[in-house]
Amino acid sequence: MQTYEFDTIVLGGGPGGFSAGIYAARGAVSTAIIDISMLGGQPSNYLELENYPGFSQVGGYELMEKFEEHADKFGVNKFPMQEIQSVDLVSNPKVIITNEGEFRAKTVIIATGAKPMRLGVPGEEEFIGRGVSFCAVCDGAFYKDKVVAVVGGGNSAVEEAMYLTKFASKVYLIHRRNELRADKIVQERAFKNDKIEFVWDTIVREIKGEELVNSLIVENVKSGEVSKLEVNGIFPYIGILPNVDNFAGQLTQDQRGFIVTDETMKTSLDGVYAVGDVRVTPLRQVITAAADGAVGAVYAVKYVEALKEVTV
Ligand code: NAP
């Protein structure tokens, strides 16, 4: 098995990871980014961003390509598509074992992001890829002239519902309350969209179908009324959970598993930093993940320098 040694290893190649990689490499420490899939992270699937400063409108994929080019310019080593077998953050050096080799690092910056939460209702797992999707940008085109439902009231649900109206003949937006959580500007656009029908105070009880999804059993939480909604597809956008499977329990996390850090992005373990969506933070955006990456990397570099001074 090949062994690799770096001063800093960044786990995850989204905006937080790339930013951390760029700052660490510019801080003159050897740096690698490891990811379980292609680099780019969640924003690669966003059709458009309108809130990344300097870009009034930019494709998510396009923006992440720019991040990657920037990291390449400073010589960040990249290891995409790694099957991670184990992560030991407690040992010194930290050790990450993947299908490709053993990676050792003085510091690790965790930038693994978050994944969509499941509704947890019958039919959800069964119909994934056959009417249940967690990515409108990936699967929206399959629903041309069809009826779909989006679940949730946050920015993701409302933005993706609007995106789906490009293809679908009708989009139900099912929300458990009668008020959206999404930003006001996003809400206003959705309210003006004739193809979106809001289904308020309602939760999904079951996803039904035969070969493909054909209906939802929904319940009005105020009246208790249960009804059937005929749809060809459902896109749950009800929030996110952190990607911490390979190292859960090694550091301090909150009840939902998000990693607790201080203002330098340091976790409860020396030499381990967490940045972006995976950590406890009040705002999860590309800009905040990138900012976290900068802070975490600067302190990771200081940590590496202090270790080198001790060993000289
Ligand atoms: P979110 O803001 O946490 O919203 C989750 C939504 O799902 C809420 O409306 C919530 O209802 C609902 N919900 C939660 N659990 C549910 C359940 N079990 N059943 C039914 N509904 C449930 O999540 P998000 O929209 O994925 O956004 C995550 C973060 O990314 C946010 O910080 C968001 O601002 C950010 N984001 C930003 C942009 C952008 O700025 N362009 C785009 C996408 C996401 P309640 O409202 O009743 O709690």
Side-chain angles (χ1 to χ4, degrees):
M1 182 184 275
Q2 175 128 16
T3 303
Y4 302 89
E5 283 188 30
F6 294 99
D7 289 322
T8 297
I9 287 181
V10 182
L11 284 179
F18 273 128
S19 169
I22 292 163
Y23 272 76
R26 288 195 76 242
V29 301
S30 63
T31 304
I33 297 178
I34 296 176
D35 200 301
I36 58 167
S37 59
M38 298 301 290
L39 301 177
Q42 284 190 89
S44 298
N45 295 323
Y46 297 170
L47 186 70
E48 264 168 14
L49 284 92
E50 292 183 336
N51 53 9
Y52 193 80
F55 297 82
S56 57
Q57 200 170 40
V58 63
Y61 189 82
E62 187 189 339
L63 183 63
M64 294 323 298
E65 271 187 334
K66 290 189 188 298
F67 273 54
E68 186 166 354
E69 281 165 22
H70 196 160
D72 288 342
K73 188 176 166 207
F74 290 108
V76 175
N77 297 276
K78 299 181 297 186
F79 297 89
M81 306 304 289
Q82 297 293 307
E83 281 169 34
I84 295 185
Q85 287 156 12
S86 66
V87 175
D88 185 346
L89 299 172
V90 181
S91 63
N92 278 313
K94 326 283 176 205
V95 180
I96 296 143
I97 297 179
T98 79
N99 57 320
E100 207 167 290
E102 180 173 313
F103 294 79
R104 296 183 193 158
K106 296 185 178 74
T107 58
V108 170
I109 301 174
I110 301 168
T112 46
K115 57 178 174 276
M117 265 169 64
R118 300 286 205 254
L119 291 166
V121 298
E124 187 177 32
E125 297 299 323
E126 182 189 341
F127 286 110
I128 288 176
R130 294 189 293 128
V132 175
S133 169
F134 298 90
C135 179
V137 174
C138 318
D139 297 332
F142 297 127
Y143 295 91
K144 193 162 166 26
D145 300 325
K146 301 240 165 36
V147 178
V148 298
V150 171
V151 187
N155 276 329
S156 299
V158 180
E159 286 180 358
E160 302 308 323
M162 281 192 291
Y163 174 69
L164 286 165
T165 62
K166 288 176 191 247
F167 309 100
S169 55
K170 178 174 193 152
V171 178
Y172 291 111
L173 199 147
I174 303 172
H175 184 34
R176 64 182 177 183
R177 292 187 293 136
N178 63 359
E179 202 183 354
L180 298 173
R181 178 184 291 277
D183 296 344
K184 286 281 176 272
I185 186 169
V186 177
Q187 293 191 25
E188 279 161 20
R189 282 184 205 149
F191 290 141
K192 283 189 200 141
N193 191 319
D194 294 339
K195 280 191 176 179
I196 300 179
E197 181 177 329
F198 291 85
V199 185
W200 301 112
D201 299 312
T202 297
I203 55 169
V204 175
R205 280 272 172 239
E206 189 176 349
I207 300 167
K208 292 176 87 87
E210 288 178 9
E211 186 67 21
L212 303 170
V213 166
N214 59 28
S215 59
L216 305 176
I217 304 299
V218 295
E219 179 184 334
N220 184 302
V221 291
K222 286 198 171 146
S223 67
E225 188 191 343
V226 175
S227 56
K228 186 172 168 181
L229 212 53
E230 292 193 354
V231 301
N232 305 105
I234 172 168
F235 293 78
Y237 277 103
I238 60 166
I240 51 173
L241 284 175
N243 291 318
V244 289
D245 293 350
N246 294 299
F247 42 81
Q250 295 185 38
L251 27 69
T252 304
Q253 295 163 260
D254 75 0
Q255 277 182 336
R256 291 196 295 157
F258 290 95
I259 300 171
V260 176
T261 66
D262 67 13
E263 74 274 16
T264 70
M265 307 299 143
K266 184 186 170 298
T267 68
S268 55
L269 290 174
D270 282 345
V272 182
Y273 301 81
V275 303
D277 287 7
V278 75
R279 78 179 188 101
V280 176
T281 173
L283 187 62
R284 293 189 170 87
Q285 303 277 298
V286 175
I287 184 70
T288 51
D292 281 4
V295 175
V298 164
Y299 283 87
V301 170
K302 284 184 199 289
Y303 181 85
V304 171
E305 283 167 352
L307 277 185
K308 285 182 178 165
E309 276 169 25
V310 171
T311 49
V312 167

